[in-house]
Amino acid sequence: MTAFASSKDLDAYREKVVKSRPKGRREIAVCAGTGCKAFGSFRLLDAFRDELAVQGLDKKIVLRPTGCHGFCERGPLVLFFPEETLYQRVKPADVKEIVERTVKKGEVLERLLVEDPATGKKFRTEKEVPFYKHQRRLVLKNNGLINPNTIDDYIAIGGYSALAKALMMGPEAVLAEVKKADLRGRGGAGFPAGKKWEVCRSQPGDTKYIVCNADEGDPGAFMDRSVIEGNPHSVIEGMIIGAFAMGAHEGFVYVRQEYPLAVERLVLALLHAREHGLLGKGILGSGFAFDIKVKRGGGAFVCGEESALIASIEGRRGVPRRRPPYPAVSGLWGKPTNINNVETWANVPLIVGNGADWFRGIGTDGSKGTKIFSLVGKVNNTGLVEVPMGMTLREVIFDIGGGIPKGKKFKAVQTGGPSGGCLPESKLDIPVDFDTLVREGAMMGSGGMIVMDENTCMLDVARYFLGFLKSESCGNCTSCRDGLMRLHALVADICEGRGTEQKLALVEELAATVKASSLCALGGTSVNPVQSTIRHFRDEYMAHIRDRKCPAHVCKALITYSVNEKCNGCHVCARQCPQKCIAGEMKGMHTIDQQKCIKCGICNDVCRFDSISVA
Amino acid sequence: MSIRLTIDDVEVKAEPGEYVLAVARREGFAIPSLCHHESVAPIGACRVCLVQVTFGGKTTLSTSCNMLAEEGLQVVTDTPEVRAHRAMNLELLLARAPGSARVREMARQYGVTRTRFPQVAESALANCILCELCMRVCSRLGHDALSAIGRGDKKRIGPPFGTPSERCVGCASCRSVCPTACVFVRDTATSRTIWGKTFEFVLCKNCGAPVLTREHRQHALAHAGLPEDYYDVCEPCKQADAAGRFANVVW
Amino acid sequence: MSVNPANRPTPPDASQTSSGDALRVLAGISGRVPAGAARTGSGGGMLTVIPRNCVGCRTCELTCSFVHSTHGRLARSRIKVREVGEKRFVQMTCLQCVEAACVAVCPVEALARNEATGAIEVHEGRCVGCSLCEKACPFGHMRFDPEAGLAVKCDLCKGEPMCARFCPNKALEVR
């Protein structure tokens, strides 16, 4: 493989690749992201490969493993080109029929199409599916189209042309463009990236570093993983452009070892970029030298905090330090260091390629561009969604997410991961942007969005996040380490029926100290879940404390299971009860021995006559 | 170049790189702290040295030990908010170190005489407040025999991997700097046991009293450049010997 | 800082003849104390030990203990009266050596000379309590306070040595 000696070489190469791929060529794109992999998409790929070989079509039809399409709820997903037919939940057993009918004859298999759970309507292409229809996919756009394991696919769709453009523009102009675009960091706080770049660029000295923060640790969030898995070159291109603008010659991607597929694809992509002269000395024949190393993290949540991340890359314990000095002034090994998150870097080639004005045309006044959310929890369409800033929570959850399953009632949405807050139904119409969410006591965070329905106990939610954070705090500050430990115990007390109003008051008092007196953002935002649930769901706390009741029927200590008059004595519950504490004659009314009941809820799950009451 | 800032409305000067706590103490302002020591870098662990700071129009709370003095910074060492958060942090620490007279006294000064939290049950080291002073001083002395293990509420301090460290020399500086006196050292006539490791003492050539551990002597010889026989005799014997020789000269 | 072994503070040379002048004895003892090194602030003189005048009353020890702590415990005194024969005493106190072993051995630069008084002082904020200074002093003058975890030594009372002021027999003087 020869390295490109100039941007002309790159253009020529692109032309060659595109020419070798005639328009309308038949292709099968199988999602090979981690979500679909868990559903067996690698086995599905093998099945397609075998079947195509058997049918003698392996030379004629391109089989492409791609990155995450986002609609993880319905994985494994398969796309057929040029018709753009989308099949969901495809199993290896379906492959023979698919090749026979869809690939060879162009027929559509109705049963594999995405169906609207409410109306039963079927959608043939991505564009028709409501999940995709309301999105604006910029960063994720190419995830389902390209094979992340080859650089040719990325180059074919125009990849690295933004880099070539940036090298022509010069570092000042690139910086000006990013500043003009008002790109705000996608990692959580939303700090203007251009401003950070400018500070880093203006620091004296030749040694500067740039870092890609891929230490995505929020429970339920996986957008950074999917971007790296699906389109690693977009992140690499963004980093090269950033390094060029700031005058850095060495970069790091800090990625957690729990993301093996992302690490594998990233390392491969770096290798390919290096082979093509896109990394290393004299990038695209310019005088600019830059290379990227991958640093694997051990999966500590706190290492996503930039000063802890720096400590971890340096080989020290991942503990945040006080800022200032900010990393842009004194970061890795005391040198100016610019840290941006995966999604931020992936936006950079789009801004440089399409211009700042184009980017500014998307989003709101304060927040430009799009944001990827991982929409999870009690919502019909879980998966990755990319929407323009400013879309309302209602649109995201109901139009894209398809609402709450089983016709249940929406209760709250938690945005921003463990450091975010819970917003109730009354806040559904607020626009999703950096400033509004913070104002409402939640935050954008890296983009987790957990939907909760009426069966979710808000105290249980607060307890869950406090439990996560008390384990993931680095343990440095008294207020965060001991404060979270105590808050968790107090909320658990309330959940388990030992709550008092004094304990609730202590929770509020302690939460204020944790927020005000902890060193880093983890501690400072760690009490958002408990504070926001108290703020919006105080009644539910009081129900636990005063009435010793859990309105959502979640907290085991506060609920009882009993058999009501609808019981027809089928005895199914008694047979399934692990405690054997349900007694009753066949065809006679049953009773539950409350002393022995462990409140597992299995009786309620198995009863087909709605005869188990929960109170 | 000198920086000007105000502490409780008094203008004071500081050198670039100086921390607010150091400046305040030098100028006679009282700020309590537990995890601070001048010989090691501050980490802001105990959160007791909180002060109110105003800089660039923004007023926040910050620990003073690890906050650099800045031109125009306004520091207030005592506000109701500062007191409330110091008190809560001390209440949390009191539940960790009920046996520490220093923590009890400091808490008492903030009106905290009892803690509303149950005592930390399974603490690896009773009364340890996890300030890492022992560990930081150990690193500063070049031993690196202590480490923080685990994170969050599972964090504890001890030799790496919880096994006796090869690098510990038994100098017991960790005990000297511990603010809650929780480092346990057992000395006998001939040996010292600390952090699960037992050391033999170098015994005084004259009287047989313990002088220092062999490993500590080795380390001192390697780093201080003093003659070997300096560590052979205990202090009282050295003094008695010197006194005898002085007497010979005088009389 | 390190001490050149050839230059190390040494115990007195027994062959050195004495004129009985205590001041010179002190200088001779350390071998490294030039006139003025252990000078005191106000008078500009040196703390001078005159063992022949000492009757062993230990007022100096008591004074030192009171001045440097509120407890007045004799064991904490930085000056020590040693009996060296029948009714013969020598008051042992820090010589404030020029190339001092305690300063050389301190790993955290907690011992430094106060240029105003000439005394080597312990900077308590910096001391980590490793006790090496105590072990290294060739005359046994350093103390380590295990309760406070700090090194303890004569600081010439910031220029006004109280032991000299309260000595009833002119066995300690500032000259």
Side-chain angles (χ1 to χ4, degrees):
Chain A
M1 185 56 59
T2 48
F4 305 136
S6 68
S7 61
K8 269 195 194 122
D9 285 5
L10 171 65
D11 291 340
Y13 187 79
R14 177 176 299 120
E15 216 165 291
K16 203 180 87 191
V17 174
V18 172
K19 214 174 259 175
S20 73
R21 300 176 172 184
K23 241 184 148 83
R25 181 175 65 155
R26 201 156 267 289
E27 288 180 14
I28 305 171
V30 180
C31 176
T34 291
C36 286
K37 186 187 170 194
F39 278 125
S41 73
F42 279 33
R43 283 197 307 278
L44 188 64
L45 266 167
D46 289 341
F48 269 114
R49 195 172 293 119
D50 293 347
E51 185 61 25
L52 290 175
V54 167
Q55 301 270 356
L57 296 167
D58 49 337
K59 294 283 183 300
K60 278 165 71 184
I61 290 165
V62 178
L63 179 64
R64 194 192 303 278
T66 70
C68 178
H69 296 228
F71 204 4
C72 309
E73 173 78 27
R74 303 300 179 101
L77 301 166
V78 183
L79 269 169
F80 298 91
F81 294 97
E83 300 91 344
E84 295 185 26
T85 305
L86 173 69
Y87 283 175
Q88 45 116 38
R89 292 187 181 157
V90 181
K91 289 172 203 63
D94 299 323
V95 167
K96 204 172 160 68
E97 190 184 357
I98 291 171
V99 172
E100 201 59 52
R101 295 179 58 192
T102 306
V103 177
K104 282 167 114 178
K105 299 181 189 148
E107 294 174 20
V108 174
L109 298 174
E110 289 277 325
R111 66 182 164 89
L112 293 172
L113 293 180
V114 178
E115 185 190 286
D116 189 316
T119 62
K121 194 176 168 227
K122 304 256 184 191
F123 308 102
R124 188 182 63 84
T125 65
E126 267 193 11
K127 287 192 197 84
E128 299 164 33
V129 178
F131 177 78
Y132 290 108
K133 202 164 72 182
H134 300 283
Q135 293 191 44
R136 175 99 194 243
R137 291 161 83 90
L138 304 177
V139 174
L140 290 178
K141 186 179 160 200
N142 298 318
N143 255 28
L145 302 178
I146 63 174
N147 179 351
N149 290 325
T150 155
I151 195 171
D152 287 4
D153 280 18
Y154 185 66
I155 290 177
I157 56 159
Y160 289 108
S161 57
L163 171 63
K165 186 176 169 189
L167 293 173
M168 294 268 292
M169 288 162 71
E172 290 88 359
V174 173
L175 177 63
E177 200 70 12
V178 173
K179 271 184 78 179
K180 191 178 163 200
D182 267 345
L183 172 65
R184 294 177 68 169
R186 264 50 174 164
F191 192 82
K195 216 185 235 176
K196 201 147 92 173
W197 287 25
E198 192 171 35
V199 173
C200 184
R201 177 179 160 75
S202 65
Q203 297 302 310
D206 290 335
T207 309
K208 287 170 190 172
Y209 299 103
I210 63 165
V211 176
C212 171
N213 183 350
D215 190 66
E216 185 176 49
D218 299 11
F222 54 104
M223 43 261 148
D224 293 347
R225 186 192 75 203
S226 294
V227 172
I228 291 188
E229 281 177 8
N231 197 349
H233 286 287
S234 66
V235 181
I236 296 169
E237 187 179 2
M239 288 179 74
I240 305 171
I241 294 171
F244 177 65
M246 285 175 265
H249 302 293
E250 202 172 346
F252 295 91
V253 181
Y254 186 83
V255 56
R256 41 182 51 216
Q257 184 66 35
E258 283 103 320
Y259 283 0
L261 197 58
V263 171
E264 185 189 313
R265 290 187 181 160
L266 182 66
V267 168
L268 191 65
L270 288 171
L271 188 77
H272 289 157
R274 222 168 274 133
E275 281 175 359
H276 284 84
L278 297 161
L279 283 173
K281 286 189 184 120
I283 292 172
L284 287 180
S286 71
F288 175 59
F290 177 67
D291 210 334
I292 297 173
K293 287 194 181 96
V294 176
K295 283 276 177 181
R296 292 160 211 211
F301 179 67
V302 71
C303 286
E305 197 281 341
E306 61 180 12
S307 59
L309 185 151
I310 285 174
S312 181
I313 291 183
E314 288 176 355
R316 294 182 288 120
R317 191 175 144 82
V319 176
R321 64 154 175 79
R322 197 183 188 288
R323 302 170 304 167
Y326 287 96
V329 177
S330 175
L332 275 171
W333 299 288
K335 302 290 182 196
T337 302
N338 181 78
I339 302 175
N340 282 125
N341 139 289
V342 172
E343 198 184 331
T344 315
W345 286 120
N347 267 298
V348 170
L350 300 175
I351 291 169
V352 173
N354 299 311
D357 290 325
W358 165 84
F359 189 77
R360 290 177 61 86
I362 306 158
T364 64
D365 279 354
S367 308
K368 304 292 181 203
T370 60
K371 177 76 190 86
I372 308 175
F373 291 96
S374 52
L375 188 62
V376 295
K378 302 289 175 62
V379 62
N380 275 315
N381 302 330
T382 59
L384 283 189
V385 303
E386 184 175 353
V387 296
M389 298 273 190
M391 190 180 243
T392 66
L393 281 168
R394 191 183 296 279
E395 287 172 286
V396 175
I397 296 165
F398 289 90
D399 295 349
I400 296 173
I404 315 300
K406 298 177 192 160
K408 294 209 167 138
K409 244 185 98 204
F410 170 87
K411 183 168 190 179
V413 58
Q414 149 95 15
T415 71
S419 318
C422 292
L423 297 171
E425 197 174 3
S426 61
K427 303 286 179 193
L428 269 180
D429 291 309
I430 61 165
V432 178
D433 64 53
F434 288 106
D435 308 313
T436 310
L437 285 176
V438 168
R439 207 160 45 236
E440 297 294 342
M443 64 185 230
M444 183 79 89
S446 54
M449 202 177 266
I450 303 170
V451 182
M452 299 156 193
D453 68 7
E454 55 189 294
N455 290 117
T456 311
C457 168
M458 298 318 286
L459 279 79
D460 191 53
V461 170
R463 173 164 76 160
Y464 168 76
F465 283 116
L466 287 169
F468 175 82
L469 289 164
K470 87 176 168 81
S471 308
E472 289 298 333
S473 156
C474 76
N476 184 70
C477 299
T478 300
S479 46
C480 175
R481 178 196 62 230
D482 288 0
L484 290 172
M485 175 175 83
R486 301 308 188 174
L487 283 172
H488 179 255
L490 286 164
V491 173
D493 275 357
I494 299 175
C495 287
E496 287 159 19
R498 296 185 298 274
T500 60
E501 288 184 43
Q502 285 87 346
K503 280 183 182 169
L504 183 59
L506 182 56
V507 166
E508 293 188 272
E509 186 188 343
L510 180 54
T513 293
V514 175
K515 191 185 193 92
S517 78
S518 300
L519 185 148
C520 75
L522 188 154
T525 58
S526 61
V527 292
N528 281 350
V530 64
Q531 283 186 329
S532 66
T533 49
I534 293 178
R535 182 168 151 190
H536 297 299
F537 300 94
R538 186 176 282 275
D539 289 351
E540 204 166 328
Y541 277 84
M542 293 319 292
H544 282 74
I545 293 168
R546 282 207 194 128
D547 314 331
R548 295 276 188 265
K549 292 272 183 247
C550 175
H553 300 153
V554 172
C555 298
K556 283 186 183 168
L558 302 180
I559 54 173
T560 50
Y561 287 89
S562 57
V563 183
N564 62 32
E565 68 288 344
K566 286 184 201 156
C567 177
N568 64 1
C570 74
H571 208 59
V572 166
C573 56
R575 245 173 300 170
Q576 297 291 332
C577 175
Q579 289 294 94
K580 299 286 168 228
C581 67
I582 304 179
E585 297 286 311
M586 259 325 213
K587 303 215 167 149
M589 175 102 168
H590 283 47
T591 51
I592 299 176
D593 180 350
Q594 296 297 337
Q595 297 298 311
K596 281 197 197 156
C597 174
I598 56 167
K599 291 155 190 176
C600 65
I602 288 178
C603 50
N604 195 21
D605 292 344
V606 297
C607 180
R608 277 172 294 164
F609 307 100
D610 202 18
S611 63
I612 305 285
S613 301
V614 192
Chain B
M1 192 185 85
S2 192
I3 292 171
R4 280 166 312 167
L5 63 153
T6 67
I7 301 177
D8 294 342
D9 293 329
V10 179
E11 189 173 298
V12 297
K13 284 191 174 142
E15 291 305 312
E18 254 191 305
Y19 291 106
V20 170
L21 180 69
V23 177
R25 288 195 174 160
R26 192 186 63 220
E27 300 292 334
F29 296 93
I31 299 175
S33 75
L34 289 165
C35 73
H36 175 75
H37 195 286
E38 288 177 44
S39 282
V40 291
I43 60 168
C46 72
R47 316 309 286 177
V48 176
C49 70
L50 283 175
V51 291
Q52 179 189 296
V53 290
T54 306
F55 188 64
K58 250 175 80 178
T59 299
T60 52
L61 291 184
S62 171
T63 42
S64 52
C65 66
N66 57 356
M67 178 171 203
L68 289 168
E70 300 259 11
E71 180 72 36
L73 181 73
Q74 291 164 274
V75 179
V76 185
T77 61
D78 197 1
T79 71
E81 204 192 357
V82 164
R83 289 188 74 82
H85 294 312
R86 280 184 191 166
M88 180 57 90
N89 285 326
L90 283 164
E91 189 175 344
L92 288 167
L93 289 175
L94 190 59
R96 240 180 216 283
S100 162
R102 191 165 159 199
V103 173
R104 277 203 311 272
E105 173 55 21
M106 202 177 273
R108 198 189 55 75
Q109 286 173 13
Y110 284 85
V112 178
T113 49
R114 52 172 285 276
T115 172
R116 288 168 283 180
F117 308 109
Q119 193 185 332
V120 176
E122 39 199 308
S123 174
L125 199 58
N127 294 317
C128 175
I129 58 165
L130 300 166
C131 71
E132 299 186 10
L133 256 185
C134 51
M135 170 186 145
R136 285 180 283 156
V137 163
C138 191
S139 294
R140 168 77 207 267
L141 296 178
H143 306 312
D144 280 311
L146 291 172
S147 63
I149 305 166
R151 61 178 182 265
D153 58 343
K154 297 280 189 298
K155 176 183 170 180
R156 60 189 199 279
I157 302 292
F161 310 109
T163 54
S165 167
E166 287 168 24
R167 299 184 55 100
C168 178
V169 298
C171 72
S173 297
C174 42
R175 178 183 59 180
S176 295
V177 296
C178 178
T180 61
C182 74
V183 178
F184 185 69
V185 184
R186 198 180 71 227
D187 283 355
T188 69
T190 56
S191 74
R192 160 172 292 172
T193 305
I194 183 168
W195 297 112
K197 190 175 171 186
T198 300
F199 299 87
E200 261 181 66
F201 278 126
V202 174
L203 300 179
C204 172
K205 272 188 178 165
N206 290 353
C207 70
V211 182
L212 75 176
T213 67
R214 285 171 196 280
E215 288 78 359
H216 197 193
R217 178 175 180 273
Q218 282 299 320
H219 189 266
L221 286 175
H223 291 89
L226 289 180
E228 288 198 21
D229 56 351
Y230 270 41
Y231 308 97
D232 289 348
V233 185
C234 72
E235 306 77 52
C237 286
K238 272 196 281 197
Q239 201 174 47
D241 179 60
R245 279 185 281 174
F246 292 178
N248 287 341
V249 180
V250 181
W251 274 284
Chain C
M1 187 202 270
S2 71
V3 172
N4 177 355
N7 257 352
R8 68 197 246 199
T10 46
D13 185 347
S15 66
Q16 195 176 349
T17 50
S18 166
S19 67
D21 183 342
L23 184 67
R24 259 197 284 142
V25 170
L26 260 186
I29 288 168
S30 78
R32 294 290 166 264
V33 182
R39 70 185 178 277
T40 57
S42 56
M46 293 167 75
L47 175 63
T48 308
V49 181
I50 308 125
R52 262 196 289 194
N53 291 350
C54 180
V55 295
C57 70
R58 300 183 194 266
T59 305
C60 54
E61 288 187 17
L62 201 59
T63 309
C64 183
S65 306
F66 271 111
V67 167
H68 291 100
S69 80
T70 51
H71 306 296
R73 283 161 65 181
L74 287 180
R76 293 285 163 77
S77 171
R78 293 145 195 219
I79 187 166
K80 188 95 190 145
V81 176
R82 289 250 167 209
E83 194 165 358
V84 290
E86 185 84 3
K87 299 264 163 66
R88 288 170 75 181
F89 304 95
V90 176
Q91 313 99 303
M92 300 296 285
T93 188
C94 176
L95 305 175
Q96 320 293 357
C97 307
V98 168
E99 286 188 32
C102 55
V103 175
V105 84
C106 180
V108 293
E109 286 135 44
L111 285 154
R113 191 177 303 278
N114 179 337
E115 293 301 334
T117 62
I120 294 169
E121 294 177 357
V122 178
H123 188 311
E124 291 190 356
R126 279 191 211 137
C127 175
V128 297
C130 71
S131 78
L132 269 185
C133 48
E134 183 197 48
K135 316 298 174 196
C137 174
F139 309 114
H141 288 322
M142 283 300 302
R143 289 281 173 278
F144 173 69
D145 178 347
E147 268 175 47
L150 293 170
V152 172
K153 75 176 290 301
C154 170
D155 60 355
L156 294 174
C157 297
K158 306 286 174 199
E160 302 260 10
M162 289 296 141
C163 51
R165 189 154 141 205
F166 286 92
C167 176
N169 247 30
K170 296 192 182 227
L172 286 160
E173 287 195 321
V174 177
R175 282 189 189 165

